Amino acid sequence: MKLLRDAARWIFLAVLIYAPWAYGGTTSASIQIINWLLLVAFILWIVELLVSWRRPRFPRLLLLLTCALIGIGGWMALNAISIYDSDFYVFVPLRNFASHLTGSVDYAISGAWMLRGALLLCAILFVVDLSQSNRWLLRLWYTISLVAGSIAFLGLLQKATGAQMIFWQTAPVWGATTFFATYYYHGNAGAYLNLVWPLIAGLAVRAFTTPSHPGMRALWVSVLILTLAAVLANTSRMAQLIAVLLLIALCVQLRPVLLRRLSRIDKNVAVAGAIAVLLTLFALGQATHLEQPLNRWQSVTARISSDARWRASCVALDALPDIGFFGFGPGTFRVVFPSYNNVANKPAPGTWRFLHEDYLQTALEWGWLGSSLWALLFFGGIAIGIRSYKKFAAREWTPRRRLLQPLVIVALAGVALHALVDFPLQIASIQLYVVTYLGLCWGSSLWGRAGL
């Protein structure tokens, strides 16, 4: 049965590798493959649990939230009241089995979204179980960091060569004018990099504070430099701001570890290494035209009031009184928003698939009840992670768990801040990494002394 369990976990790691490289999970084909791979991993996991009579432990509140969200979203999809006709821009009524009860305004979109949503919610439970093993926790950590380094390297290579498009695509596609690495939209790439580079920093610190081969130290320092340089070379101003805030938070968090573990000679080496890292980042910035994203900060204050994203958020705020307890249905923002935008005093120009404000979009799609449950799942997971760290880390956790947990919490806080002005939580690859981190946070309340 160990074979089934390991197979499921290896497939899950394969999904973590595939999702960022498959255009960040922003195409329909890549989303379908992600869904299938997750489904296969979960089937193997469930079979292993049934055959071995192994009963995994989960926090009760997490199980309740998972069931509630799947139930609400599934009901909205099954009891849909209409389907959107994109050719004639009208909602075609459907015969549902409970017409007096609420349902989604688009059966197809909500059904597809709930398939992905249910798999993502199950991924949290899967990671809770996986994280009980010290060995698999480290494998998960390594996988996330190596994939991030490869994405960062590709983005820097594109910048250095002045690429007009992702290397293996010959013609720009709609929305790809600000691509970075494998992401069509630079803001999504920046959010992904900020989600993963704190974990790379943790591996670099771990390499210097524990007996490690010099090659491992060189590897993780190099990957960290590449990833930080990629964030700086990215043209997303919000990603750069969040990276600075994350860097400050990590310096505060990791400083005691470094001071306690490093000798005086090692500290001098660390200072010299930090200076070398800064010089390397400067050199990479010159090679990758770092002045371009920095110049965009000069006009930021003048553009806020006229920015289309601000207008779109105002339109969404005007729609809030109509959402009720259950909203318009999972994933339906893109078909609901045009109706409100067309009658707005100051409509937002263009076509909007996402709102550039994840919390408002979630409220529109899930209503007051559903969005509150999502908030409890996300911010409750962060709170559980903080509480578990303060309560158990010093006495019961292994060193790798004590080091990893704060990094995960800081990374989640960064993506939560980014979601205020962009839509990282709507992108499949970022969703997958976020639920992985949430699984670590929720699962930390069950972490024992030794692991498996």
Side-chain angles (χ1 to χ4, degrees):
M1 293 308 102
K2 184 179 181 296
L3 179 62
L4 289 175
R5 181 169 68 246
D6 289 350
R9 292 175 175 180
W10 281 118
I11 292 174
F12 185 80
L13 295 187
V15 184
L16 291 175
I17 297 171
Y18 172 79
W21 276 96
Y23 306 108
T26 55
T27 64
S28 58
S30 62
I31 291 174
Q32 290 178 9
I33 294 175
I34 291 171
N35 289 345
W36 278 110
L37 289 174
L38 287 176
L39 182 60
V40 171
F42 299 156
I43 290 175
L44 291 175
W45 177 48
I46 293 171
V47 170
E48 182 267 325
L49 293 177
L50 293 175
V51 174
S52 63
W53 292 92
R54 186 172 67 90
R55 184 179 179 182
R57 295 183 301 159
F58 303 114
R60 293 181 181 178
L61 180 57
L62 175 60
L63 285 175
L64 179 63
L65 290 172
T66 300
C67 294
L69 286 169
I70 293 177
I72 292 174
W75 169 262
M76 292 293 289
L78 291 174
N79 197 50
I81 61 176
S82 60
I83 188 169
Y84 186 70
D85 189 331
S86 58
D87 293 330
F88 296 95
Y89 305 104
V90 295
F91 291 93
V92 180
L94 295 177
R95 294 181 60 185
N96 53 357
F97 56 86
S99 57
H100 58 288
L101 297 177
T102 187
S104 172
V105 298
D106 191 291
Y107 170 78
I109 292 178
S110 291
W113 200 101
M114 276 313 302
L115 174 61
R116 182 173 66 177
L119 292 171
L120 290 172
L121 289 168
C122 290
I124 300 179
L125 302 177
F126 183 85
V127 175
V128 168
D129 183 46
L130 178 149
S131 68
Q132 306 309 308
S133 167
N134 268 321
R135 180 182 301 154
W136 279 99
L137 186 67
L138 189 59
R139 287 173 178 171
L140 179 68
W141 195 353
Y142 281 160
T143 299
I144 290 173
S145 301
L146 289 173
V147 174
S150 66
I151 294 293
F153 177 76
L154 176 63
L156 290 174
L157 191 60
Q158 289 171 340
K159 283 285 185 179
T161 57
Q164 299 300 309
M165 190 52 201
I166 300 173
F167 283 145
W168 50 85
Q169 290 191 340
T170 56
V173 297
W174 181 86
T177 55
T178 58
F179 73 97
F180 187 86
T182 55
Y183 287 81
Y184 290 127
Y185 174 49
H186 65 284
N188 295 335
Y192 167 77
L193 291 172
N194 279 331
L195 194 59
V196 293
W197 78 256
L199 273 67
I200 301 174
L203 285 175
V205 170
R206 184 174 182 269
F208 281 93
T209 55
T210 60
S212 300
H213 190 277
M216 293 297 293
R217 296 179 178 181
L219 170 65
W220 293 121
V221 170
S222 301
V223 174
L224 178 60
I225 292 174
L226 283 175
T227 312
L228 287 176
V231 175
L232 294 176
N234 189 288
T235 55
S236 171
R237 289 170 295 203
M238 191 61 182
Q240 294 167 355
L241 175 60
I242 291 174
V244 172
L245 296 177
L246 293 179
L247 185 61
I248 295 172
L250 290 182
C251 288
V252 173
Q253 176 63 36
L254 298 177
R255 180 176 175 270
V257 177
L258 293 173
L259 292 179
R260 185 172 61 252
R261 296 289 184 86
L262 296 179
S263 65
R264 179 175 297 180
I265 296 177
D266 289 336
K267 291 176 184 177
N268 294 333
V269 173
V271 172
I275 295 174
V277 167
L278 292 176
L279 293 175
T280 305
L281 287 175
F282 178 78
L284 284 173
Q286 294 295 317
T288 56
H289 307 288
L290 184 58
E291 72 280 356
Q292 295 175 1
L294 294 180
N295 289 337
R296 297 186 74 233
W297 280 97
Q298 298 178 359
S299 60
V300 63
T301 55
R303 295 178 56 188
I304 291 179
S305 60
S306 59
D307 193 281
R309 288 178 287 189
W310 176 260
R311 291 189 181 182
S313 295
C314 291
V315 174
L317 284 172
D318 292 337
L320 285 181
D322 299 333
I323 64 175
F325 278 103
F326 301 100
F328 296 108
T332 56
F333 167 80
R334 56 178 153 174
V335 297
V336 170
F337 182 77
S339 301
Y340 288 93
N341 194 38
N342 291 337
V343 298
N345 293 329
K346 293 183 178 180
T351 302
W352 294 80
R353 185 179 180 184
F354 305 110
L355 183 57
H356 288 262
E357 216 288 10
D358 275 328
Y359 303 109
L360 269 178
Q361 179 169 339
T362 302
L364 291 176
E365 294 178 351
W366 286 82
W368 299 116
L369 178 59
S371 59
S372 298
L373 293 177
W374 278 112
L376 186 57
L377 179 73
F378 184 89
F379 293 105
I382 295 176
I384 291 293
I386 295 173
R387 178 179 177 273
S388 301
Y389 179 77
K390 291 183 176 180
K391 186 175 181 180
F392 303 114
R395 302 190 311 273
E396 300 183 11
W397 287 3
T398 57
R400 69 185 60 169
R401 297 178 187 274
R402 288 197 297 269
L403 178 59
L404 175 62
Q405 189 67 7
L407 306 178
V408 169
I409 294 170
V410 168
L412 285 175
V415 78
L417 184 60
H418 201 142
L420 288 169
V421 296
D422 231 324
F423 51 92
L425 299 180
Q426 309 299 326
I427 303 304
S429 60
I430 299 178
Q431 289 174 336
L432 179 61
Y433 276 64
V434 166
V435 297
T436 299
Y437 289 13
L438 288 176
L440 296 176
C441 286
W442 283 100
S444 64
S445 62
L446 307 173
W447 288 355
R449 184 182 300 275
L452 300 176

